[in-house]
Amino acid sequence: MAVNNRVALITGASGGLGSVVTAQFLEAGYRVSAVALDWESPAPASESLIATRADLTVRSAAQSVVQQTIETWGTVDFLVHLVGAFDAGQRVEETSDAQWDRMLDVNLRSAVNMLRAVIPAMRQKREGRIMVVGGTSAIHPVVAWSAFSASVAALCSLVETSAAELREEGITVNAILPTTIDTPAVRAACGEADRAKWVNPNSLASLMLWLCSDAGRDVTGALIPVIGRQPHPCHQWH
């Protein structure tokens, strides 16, 4: 289905979720600016794809990938921000400074940097869609997940604030909050016994495509839990 060559900037594009999302957007007819910290084997650049390495916890790097995309294709219509990290950690008093720094840098600061970089261009044309991926512990905190839960809760606050600021300018901002995502890295870490209960990356990609469609134009400031079939600890105080 052609979408008039609209441009999606997808971060975290080399990961288990990002590779699926990138493939679905390309298949749907989007031009994709794919950004990742590391690429094992990035697809070669084409008329529909450019792939970039960048550490988005650095503000200048985020600004650079947005500028490169605009220089290549003239616009960024959609930001799909998938950068994230999870570390269960310990209880609050035992959680190290290093763990707090990593969770806040990867899960929050990278999103702040991307929004600051992309919003001015979207505001100028009064149109755009922004979506970020967090986790359900943002709304159901879990014992010993303090740094992760706090970082994704702050991400949700960023989304709601940005949506409020941009709601009259044709720009939507939403957060997608999955439980465990069925990716190769998760299967390697956790085994496959519960795989059928996890969230399928294709389901998340389809939701993102819908949010980018005309049908999704009125959804903004939403925190969307996607829990699959999982009795996940995020839904329990324990």
Side-chain angles (χ1 to χ4, degrees), residues 128-181:
R129 311 285 175 85
I130 297 169
M131 62 210 71
V132 304
V133 171
T136 48
S137 66
I139 50 179
H140 295 280
V142 177
V143 168
W145 291 16
S146 60
F148 175 75
S149 296
S151 67
V152 291
L155 179 66
C156 289
S157 181
L158 173 69
V159 163
E160 292 178 310
T161 303
S162 300
E165 292 175 351
L166 297 168
R167 65 188 173 194
E168 296 184 3
E169 301 192 53
I171 303 167
T172 67
V173 191
N174 295 289
I176 298 170
L177 308 177
T179 53
T180 305
I181 305 172

Coordinates of all heavy atoms in Angstrom, one line a residue, residues 128-181:
G128 N 2.6 16.0 12.1 CA 3.6 15.0 12.5 C 3.0 14.0 13.5 O 2.0 14.3 14.2
R129 N 3.6 12.9 13.6 CA 3.2 11.9 14.5 C 4.5 11.4 15.3 O 5.5 11.1 14.6 CB 2.6 10.6 13.8 CG 1.5 11.0 12.8 CD 0.2 11.4 13.5 NE -0.8 11.8 12.5 CZ -1.6 11.0 11.9 NH1 -1.6 9.7 12.1 NH2 -2.5 11.5 11.0
I130 N 4.4 11.3 16.6 CA 5.5 10.9 17.4 C 5.0 9.8 18.3 O 3.9 9.9 18.9 CB 6.1 12.0 18.3 CG1 6.6 13.1 17.4 CG2 7.1 11.5 19.3 CD1 7.0 14.4 18.2
M131 N 5.7 8.6 18.3 CA 5.4 7.6 19.3 C 6.7 7.0 19.9 O 7.7 7.0 19.2 CB 4.6 6.5 18.6 CG 5.3 5.8 17.4 SD 4.1 5.2 16.2 CE 3.6 6.7 15.5
V132 N 6.6 6.7 21.1 CA 7.7 6.1 21.8 C 7.3 4.8 22.5 O 6.1 4.6 22.8 CB 8.2 7.1 22.9 CG1 8.6 8.4 22.3 CG2 7.2 7.2 24.1
V133 N 8.2 3.9 22.7 CA 7.9 2.6 23.4 C 8.6 2.6 24.7 O 9.8 2.9 24.9 CB 8.5 1.4 22.5 CG1 8.4 0.1 23.3 CG2 7.7 1.3 21.2
G134 N 7.8 2.3 25.8 CA 8.2 2.2 27.1 C 8.0 0.8 27.7 O 8.4 -0.2 27.1
G135 N 7.3 0.8 28.8 CA 6.9 -0.5 29.4 C 5.8 -0.3 30.4 O 5.6 0.8 30.9
T136 N 5.0 -1.4 30.6 CA 3.9 -1.3 31.5 C 4.2 -1.0 32.9 O 3.4 -0.6 33.7 CB 3.0 -2.6 31.4 OG1 3.9 -3.7 31.6 CG2 2.3 -2.7 30.1
S137 N 5.5 -1.2 33.3 CA 5.8 -0.8 34.7 C 5.8 0.7 34.9 O 5.9 1.1 36.1 CB 7.2 -1.4 35.1 OG 8.2 -0.8 34.3
A138 N 5.6 1.4 33.9 CA 5.4 2.9 34.0 C 4.2 3.2 34.8 O 4.1 4.2 35.5 CB 5.4 3.5 32.6
I139 N 3.1 2.3 34.6 CA 1.9 2.6 35.3 C 1.6 1.5 36.4 O 0.7 1.7 37.1 CB 0.7 2.6 34.2 CG1 0.7 1.4 33.3 CG2 0.8 3.9 33.4 CD1 -0.4 1.4 32.3
H140 N 2.4 0.5 36.4 CA 2.3 -0.5 37.5 C 3.7 -0.9 38.0 O 4.2 -1.9 37.6 CB 1.6 -1.8 37.0 CG 0.1 -1.6 36.6 ND1 -0.9 -1.6 37.5 CD2 -0.4 -1.4 35.4 CE1 -2.0 -1.4 36.9 NE2 -1.8 -1.3 35.6
P141 N 4.3 -0.1 38.8 CA 5.6 -0.3 39.3 C 5.8 -1.6 39.9 O 4.9 -2.2 40.5 CB 5.9 0.9 40.3 CG 4.9 1.9 39.9 CD 3.7 1.2 39.4
V142 N 7.0 -2.1 39.9 CA 7.4 -3.5 40.3 C 8.5 -3.4 41.3 O 9.5 -2.6 41.1 CB 7.8 -4.4 39.1 CG1 8.2 -5.8 39.6 CG2 6.6 -4.5 38.2
V143 N 8.4 -4.2 42.4 CA 9.5 -4.3 43.4 C 10.8 -4.6 42.7 O 10.9 -5.5 41.8 CB 9.2 -5.3 44.4 CG1 10.4 -5.6 45.3 CG2 8.0 -4.9 45.3
A144 N 11.9 -3.9 43.0 CA 13.2 -4.1 42.5 C 13.4 -3.6 41.1 O 14.5 -3.7 40.5 CB 13.7 -5.5 42.6
W145 N 12.4 -2.9 40.5 CA 12.6 -2.3 39.2 C 12.6 -0.8 39.3 O 12.1 -0.1 38.4 CB 11.4 -2.7 38.3 CG 11.4 -4.2 37.9 CD1 12.0 -5.2 38.4 CD2 10.6 -4.7 36.8 NE1 11.7 -6.4 37.8 CE2 10.8 -6.1 36.8 CE3 9.7 -4.2 35.9 CZ2 10.2 -7.0 35.9 CZ3 9.1 -5.0 35.0 CH2 9.3 -6.4 35.0
S146 N 13.1 -0.2 40.4 CA 12.9 1.2 40.6 C 13.4 2.1 39.5 O 12.7 3.0 39.1 CB 13.5 1.6 42.0 OG 14.9 1.3 42.0
A147 N 14.7 1.8 39.1 CA 15.3 2.7 38.1 C 14.6 2.6 36.7 O 14.3 3.6 36.1 CB 16.7 2.4 37.9
F148 N 14.3 1.3 36.3 CA 13.5 1.1 35.1 C 12.1 1.7 35.1 O 11.7 2.5 34.2 CB 13.5 -0.4 34.7 CG 12.7 -0.6 33.5 CD1 13.2 -0.4 32.2 CD2 11.4 -1.2 33.6 CE1 12.4 -0.6 31.1 CE2 10.6 -1.4 32.5 CZ 11.1 -1.1 31.2
S149 N 11.4 1.4 36.2 CA 10.0 1.9 36.3 C 10.0 3.4 36.3 O 9.1 4.0 35.7 CB 9.4 1.3 37.6 OG 9.2 -0.1 37.5
A150 N 10.9 4.0 37.1 CA 10.9 5.5 37.1 C 11.3 6.1 35.8 O 10.7 7.1 35.4 CB 11.9 6.0 38.2
S151 N 12.2 5.5 35.0 CA 12.6 6.0 33.7 C 11.5 6.0 32.7 O 11.3 6.9 32.0 CB 13.8 5.3 33.2 OG 13.6 4.0 32.9
V152 N 10.7 4.9 32.7 CA 9.6 4.8 31.7 C 8.4 5.6 32.2 O 7.6 6.1 31.4 CB 9.2 3.3 31.4 CG1 10.4 2.7 30.6 CG2 8.9 2.5 32.6
A153 N 8.2 5.8 33.5 CA 7.2 6.7 34.0 C 7.5 8.1 33.6 O 6.6 8.9 33.2 CB 7.0 6.5 35.5
A154 N 8.7 8.5 33.7 CA 9.1 9.8 33.3 C 8.9 10.0 31.8 O 8.5 11.1 31.3 CB 10.6 10.1 33.7
L155 N 9.2 8.9 31.0 CA 8.9 8.9 29.6 C 7.5 9.2 29.3 O 7.1 10.0 28.4 CB 9.4 7.6 29.0 CG 9.2 7.4 27.5 CD1 10.1 8.4 26.7 CD2 9.5 6.0 27.1
C156 N 6.6 8.6 30.1 CA 5.1 8.8 29.9 C 4.8 10.2 30.2 O 3.9 10.8 29.5 CB 4.3 7.8 30.7 SG 4.4 6.1 30.2
S157 N 5.3 10.8 31.2 CA 5.1 12.2 31.5 C 5.5 13.1 30.4 O 4.9 14.1 30.1 CB 5.8 12.6 32.8 OG 5.5 13.9 33.2
L158 N 6.7 12.8 29.8 CA 7.2 13.6 28.7 C 6.2 13.5 27.5 O 5.9 14.5 26.9 CB 8.5 13.0 28.2 CG 9.1 13.6 27.0 CD1 9.6 15.0 27.1 CD2 10.3 12.7 26.5
V159 N 5.6 12.3 27.3 CA 4.7 12.1 26.2 C 3.4 13.0 26.4 O 2.9 13.7 25.5 CB 4.3 10.6 26.0 CG1 3.1 10.4 25.2 CG2 5.5 9.9 25.4
E160 N 2.9 12.9 27.6 CA 1.7 13.6 27.9 C 1.9 15.1 27.9 O 1.0 15.8 27.4 CB 1.1 13.2 29.3 CG 0.6 11.7 29.4 CD 0.2 11.3 30.7 OE1 0.9 11.5 31.7 OE2 -0.9 10.8 30.8
T161 N 3.0 15.6 28.4 CA 3.3 17.0 28.3 C 3.5 17.5 26.9 O 2.9 18.5 26.5 CB 4.5 17.3 29.1 OG1 4.4 16.9 30.5 CG2 4.8 18.8 29.1
S162 N 4.2 16.7 26.1 CA 4.4 17.1 24.7 C 3.1 17.1 23.9 O 2.9 18.0 23.1 CB 5.4 16.1 24.1 OG 6.7 16.2 24.7
A163 N 2.3 16.1 24.2 CA 1.0 16.0 23.5 C 0.1 17.2 23.8 O -0.5 17.8 22.9 CB 0.2 14.7 23.9
A164 N 0.2 17.7 25.1 CA -0.6 18.9 25.5 C -0.1 20.1 24.8 O -0.8 21.0 24.3 CB -0.6 19.0 27.0
E165 N 1.2 20.2 24.7 CA 1.8 21.4 24.1 C 1.6 21.5 22.6 O 1.5 22.5 22.0 CB 3.3 21.4 24.3 CG 3.7 21.6 25.8 CD 5.2 21.5 26.1 OE1 6.0 21.1 25.1 OE2 5.6 21.8 27.2
L166 N 1.4 20.3 21.9 CA 1.4 20.2 20.5 C 0.0 19.9 19.9 O -0.2 19.8 18.7 CB 2.4 19.1 20.0 CG 3.8 19.4 20.3 CD1 4.7 18.2 20.0 CD2 4.4 20.6 19.5
R167 N -1.0 19.8 20.8 CA -2.3 19.3 20.3 C -3.0 20.2 19.3 O -3.8 19.8 18.5 CB -3.2 19.0 21.5 CG -3.6 20.2 22.3 CD -4.3 19.8 23.6 NE -4.6 21.0 24.4 CZ -5.0 20.9 25.7 NH1 -5.1 19.7 26.2 NH2 -5.2 22.0 26.4
E168 N -2.7 21.5 19.3 CA -3.3 22.4 18.4 C -2.5 22.7 17.1 O -2.8 23.5 16.3 CB -3.6 23.7 19.1 CG -4.6 23.6 20.2 CD -5.0 25.0 20.8 OE1 -4.5 26.0 20.3 OE2 -5.8 25.0 21.8
E169 N -1.4 21.9 17.0 CA -0.5 22.1 15.9 C -0.4 20.9 14.9 O 0.5 20.8 14.1 CB 0.9 22.5 16.4 CG 0.9 23.7 17.3 CD 2.3 24.2 17.7 OE1 3.1 24.5 16.7 OE2 2.6 24.4 18.8
G170 N -1.3 20.0 15.0 CA -1.4 18.9 14.1 C -0.4 17.8 14.4 O -0.1 17.0 13.5
I171 N 0.2 17.8 15.6 CA 1.2 16.8 15.9 C 0.7 15.9 17.1 O 0.4 16.5 18.1 CB 2.6 17.5 16.3 CG1 3.1 18.4 15.2 CG2 3.6 16.5 16.7 CD1 4.2 19.4 15.6
T172 N 0.7 14.6 16.9 CA 0.3 13.7 17.9 C 1.5 13.1 18.6 O 2.6 12.9 18.0 CB -0.6 12.6 17.4 OG1 0.1 11.8 16.5 CG2 -1.8 13.2 16.6
V173 N 1.4 12.8 19.9 CA 2.5 12.2 20.7 C 1.8 11.1 21.5 O 0.9 11.4 22.3 CB 3.2 13.2 21.6 CG1 4.5 12.5 22.1 CG2 3.5 14.4 20.8
N174 N 2.3 9.8 21.4 CA 1.7 8.7 22.1 C 2.8 7.8 22.6 O 3.9 7.7 22.0 CB 0.7 7.9 21.2 CG -0.5 8.8 20.9 OD1 -1.3 9.0 21.7 ND2 -0.5 9.2 19.6
A175 N 2.5 7.0 23.7 CA 3.4 6.0 24.2 C 2.8 4.6 24.1 O 1.6 4.5 24.4 CB 3.8 6.3 25.7
I176 N 3.6 3.7 23.7 CA 3.1 2.3 23.6 C 3.9 1.5 24.7 O 5.1 1.6 24.8 CB 3.4 1.7 22.3 CG1 2.7 2.4 21.2 CG2 3.1 0.2 22.2 CD1 3.1 2.1 19.8
L177 N 3.1 0.8 25.6 CA 3.7 0.2 26.8 C 3.5 -1.3 26.8 O 2.5 -1.8 27.3 CB 3.1 0.8 28.0 CG 3.0 2.4 28.1 CD1 2.3 2.8 29.4 CD2 4.4 3.0 28.1
P178 N 4.4 -2.0 26.2 CA 4.3 -3.5 26.1 C 4.9 -4.1 27.4 O 5.6 -3.5 28.2 CB 5.2 -3.9 24.9 CG 6.2 -2.8 24.9 CD 5.6 -1.5 25.4
T179 N 4.4 -5.4 27.6 CA 5.1 -6.2 28.6 C 6.3 -6.9 27.8 O 6.9 -6.2 27.0 CB 4.1 -7.3 29.1 OG1 3.5 -8.0 28.0 CG2 3.1 -6.6 30.0
T180 N 6.6 -8.1 28.1 CA 7.7 -8.8 27.4 C 7.5 -8.9 25.9 O 6.4 -9.4 25.5 CB 7.9 -10.2 28.0 OG1 8.1 -10.0 29.5 CG2 9.2 -10.8 27.5
I181 N 8.4 -8.5 25.1 CA 8.3 -8.6 23.7 C 9.1 -9.8 23.2 O 10.2 -10.1 23.6 CB 8.9 -7.3 23.0 CG1 8.2 -6.1 23.6 CG2 8.7 -7.4 21.5 CD1 8.8 -4.8 23.1

